[in-house]
Amino acid sequence: MRDLSGAISWLQRSLKWNKNNIPARNLLGLVYYEIGEVEDALEEWTISASFQPGDNPAIRYLEAIAARQARVDNISQVIRKYNLAIHYIREESEDLAILQAKQVISRNPRHLKAHLLLALLYMKHEEYAKAERILHRALRIDSGNSTALRYLSELREVARQKKLKSLKRKREIAPVQPAEEEDAVAGDILIPKYSETTGSWRTVFLLVAGVLIGVVSTYFLIFPAERRDLQQQANQAQQDYFSTLQQLQDEIDRLESGSADWEAEKQALLNQLAAYTEKDTVQAKYDRLLLVYAYKAGGDDYHAMEELLKIDPEGDLSEQFLTGYQTLTAEYSTDGASRLYNASAALCEEGRFEEARDNLLMVLRWNDDFPEAIYLLGTVYWNLSDRETATVYFNQMISGYPDHPLTAEARALLATAG
Amino acid sequence: MINFEEELAKYKPSKEIESLEDEIVHRDLTDMTDILMQMMQQGSDKKNA
């Protein structure tokens, strides 16, 4: 059902009756986490842990978040960017607010408030199609969200009004002859009496004669001139064609005469290339590390990580090379993997599951202890209708991270499969 | 029709992680049990007075 707003409402009421209801408070934290309100989730879990310091899942949730500095940094960044978006709105810089809201969603694709804010801004700027897309995404996060439903209702009303206006405009286009002209003439002259019976055969004859004259004049006067023009164009096109054909034939003859030499040169180059790539020389390793830096500078984490994996740090390599290699390896194992994970999540939101799959497989090659990536990869395979592979990753979540908040989701998905 | 200015004003900034401790300390966690206890205490105070 995924009516998370409804769940929040009921859980808050439950806690109003009994603040010591630890399962309700923990669940409320999970729901907050699910809709991107991480600070509220942390607050609930902290209060829960203070009420029940022993044997409390809330403590594990807090530890899981605190254990990864990259995650904590990401949470802080998301909060800062969201607050910056609000600030820009107050400063009437709504374009900048839109940019910040999009960045929030890119970092946390489940941030419900950012979705709603972005949709509202799009609606204000009359970008209705974009607003509708964002609102549907919001409803996938929280199907019962009243704000999203209200905004969608507004969009439908706007669309209805537009359609009505368009229909009204079409009706106004066909002009109607005013009756006053007829009235002005009628009083001054004799109006011949209209008769439907007289001259009907004459009318038909004249009509047929007019058509025949038109056809004949077209055939004898207009067609010949057009035929001449077309013939001239065809002749010119034919000349151009033969001329080009001759030029190409001359080029082929020239190439064929020297092709024997070029074939030998090509083969020599291919032999050199094979020797270079197969031997993985020290030079090749240096070149590959430079390539990694180039990809990194361009923000292409996927290819940087791919190239870095190909480097074997054994052999006669300088200390500078090894320092650079180790620094990059450490960075991509943590921050790089997180960035690529976030990019994958954004791709999933856009329905680009195959690209997301490739990214996530790379993430796990670098950091196989990344439960969020494991879960997301499971959902990607699920969406690609590869239930078998999805099951493998979901089972990995269940066995490796039984208390992780996303493991419950994995179990739920497996349960739907039967 | 949505009044965009009013609607945008409803969006408030999120709490920063650094200020969470302060938020928790100042949060009102009174529940119905606490209220009932207060009422019972007031009742017994009146009785003793």
Side-chain angles (χ1 to χ4, degrees):
Chain A
M1 234 179 120
R2 255 200 110 79
D3 179 7
L4 299 186
S5 299
I8 287 172
S9 172
W10 283 107
L11 288 167
Q12 283 173 339
R13 275 187 231 188
S14 165
L15 291 169
K16 282 283 176 210
W17 283 96
N18 178 15
K19 67 186 174 206
N20 292 308
N21 188 342
I22 300 298
R25 197 176 290 280
N26 289 348
L27 183 57
L28 181 58
L30 287 172
V31 177
Y32 280 140
Y33 191 89
E34 188 65 11
I35 61 170
E37 293 186 25
V38 180
E39 63 284 3
D40 289 335
L42 293 174
E43 197 175 314
E44 296 304 330
W45 291 333
T46 306
I47 293 169
S48 170
S50 71
F51 282 152
Q52 185 176 304
D55 188 29
N56 188 340
I59 296 170
R60 283 200 294 281
Y61 302 154
L62 290 165
E63 282 171 356
I65 289 173
R68 299 176 62 87
Q69 189 56 39
R71 193 177 302 163
V72 173
D73 292 343
N74 192 48
I75 291 168
S76 299
Q77 278 294 318
V78 164
I79 292 170
R80 255 179 238 125
K81 285 184 181 291
Y82 179 77
N83 292 348
L84 197 53
I86 305 286
H87 169 74
Y88 281 137
I89 289 167
R90 305 283 180 260
E91 298 289 311
E92 295 181 6
S93 304
E94 284 172 5
D95 289 337
L96 293 174
I98 287 173
L99 207 63
Q100 291 302 319
K102 281 160 93 168
Q103 287 186 14
V104 169
I105 291 170
S106 156
R107 281 180 171 268
N108 184 352
R110 290 191 185 278
H111 200 292
L112 186 61
K113 279 196 294 195
H115 278 82
L116 297 173
L117 181 63
L118 185 58
L120 185 63
L121 287 166
Y122 278 143
M123 284 164 68
K124 190 178 175 196
H125 289 233
E126 297 186 2
E127 292 184 80
Y128 299 121
K130 285 184 184 173
E132 189 170 351
R133 240 187 345 262
I134 298 289
L135 288 170
H136 283 301
R137 279 193 218 166
L139 287 171
R140 282 206 289 276
I141 299 168
D142 176 13
S143 66
N145 189 274
S146 58
T147 308
L149 292 168
R150 185 160 52 89
Y151 290 175
L152 265 179
S153 170
E154 176 74 13
L155 281 176
R156 285 190 192 118
E157 181 58 27
V158 165
R160 198 180 71 84
Q161 292 293 337
K162 268 187 166 177
K163 202 171 176 182
L164 280 173
K165 267 188 197 165
S166 156
L167 282 170
K168 200 178 167 185
R169 220 178 289 128
K170 278 183 186 162
R171 271 192 230 118
E172 283 167 3
I173 286 171
V176 178
Q177 280 289 343
E180 295 90 292
E181 287 176 28
E182 291 173 12
D183 290 337
V185 169
D188 299 332
I189 59 167
L190 286 169
I191 299 162
K193 204 172 162 189
Y194 176 67
S195 171
E196 286 186 3
T197 55
T198 56
S200 60
W201 284 110
R202 194 163 157 249
T203 308
V204 170
F205 172 75
L206 284 171
L207 197 65
V208 170
V211 167
L212 277 172
I213 291 167
V215 167
V216 165
S217 61
T218 303
Y219 186 77
F220 285 110
L221 297 174
I222 298 171
F223 275 178
E226 282 196 356
R227 265 210 303 274
R228 266 201 308 277
D229 288 340
L230 284 169
Q231 191 63 47
Q232 279 170 6
Q233 284 175 31
N235 288 342
Q236 185 59 44
Q238 199 175 43
Q239 277 177 17
D240 292 342
Y241 169 74
F242 282 124
S243 164
T244 307
L245 199 58
Q246 190 56 47
Q247 284 173 22
L248 287 170
Q249 190 61 50
D250 292 342
E251 185 68 14
I252 289 167
D253 292 340
R254 190 183 69 77
L255 287 167
E256 279 178 349
S257 70
S259 70
D261 297 334
W262 292 350
E263 188 60 36
E265 195 177 324
K266 183 187 88 176
Q267 196 53 48
L269 283 168
L270 282 172
N271 291 341
Q272 278 182 41
L273 184 63
Y276 183 79
T277 53
E278 283 166 14
K279 275 176 79 174
D280 194 20
T281 59
V282 168
Q283 183 60 45
K285 290 183 191 183
Y286 276 96
D287 287 347
R288 194 154 263 144
L289 192 68
L290 282 171
L291 195 54
V292 171
Y293 278 113
Y295 279 129
K296 187 176 188 309
D300 187 347
D301 286 324
Y302 179 87
H303 286 104
M305 290 158 87
E306 188 181 44
E307 289 302 318
L308 198 52
L309 281 172
K310 292 177 188 171
I311 296 176
D312 175 8
E314 300 300 320
D316 185 22
L317 300 164
S318 70
E319 208 166 303
Q320 290 89 339
F321 177 96
L322 290 171
T323 303
Y325 173 81
Q326 281 155 10
T327 304
L328 285 167
T329 303
E331 202 254 323
Y332 278 115
S333 301
T334 52
D335 291 347
S338 289
R339 281 197 305 271
L340 200 57
Y341 165 78
N342 288 334
S344 309
L347 286 168
C348 287
E349 286 295 317
E350 291 169 23
R352 291 156 67 181
F353 295 113
E354 282 167 354
E355 290 171 66
R357 175 200 57 203
D358 295 341
N359 277 359
L360 288 165
L361 287 169
M362 181 61 69
V363 167
L364 292 176
R365 283 174 76 183
W366 275 91
N367 181 358
D368 60 5
D369 182 24
F370 198 156
E372 289 81 6
I374 295 169
Y375 170 76
L376 190 60
L377 187 54
T379 63
V380 162
Y381 276 113
W382 192 272
N383 280 298
L384 289 172
S385 301
D386 183 353
R387 300 292 162 96
E388 204 178 315
T389 311
T391 304
V392 167
Y393 286 102
F394 288 147
N395 283 333
Q396 208 176 326
M397 280 295 290
I398 292 166
S399 59
Y401 310 93
D403 298 318
H404 193 278
L406 291 172
T407 303
E409 295 253 355
R411 281 204 183 95
L413 276 166
L414 285 175
T416 60
Chain B
M1 280 295 284
I2 286 180
N3 181 322
F4 287 108
E5 303 312 321
E6 269 179 27
E7 194 67 28
L8 284 167
K10 290 179 188 173
Y11 288 86
K12 304 290 179 208
S14 294
K15 294 166 260 190
E16 301 273 348
I17 289 190
E18 292 80 17
S19 68
L20 269 181
E21 195 181 324
D22 207 38
E23 290 281 337
I24 292 168
V25 163
H26 289 102
R27 187 159 150 186
D28 180 13
L29 292 170
T30 309
D31 62 3
M32 286 304 292
T33 314
D34 295 332
I35 292 170
L36 282 168
M37 292 294 288
Q38 279 171 20
M39 286 167 69
M40 281 167 59
Q41 188 65 38
Q42 281 168 10
S44 68
D45 285 347
K46 274 185 188 162
K47 219 189 242 181
N48 293 336

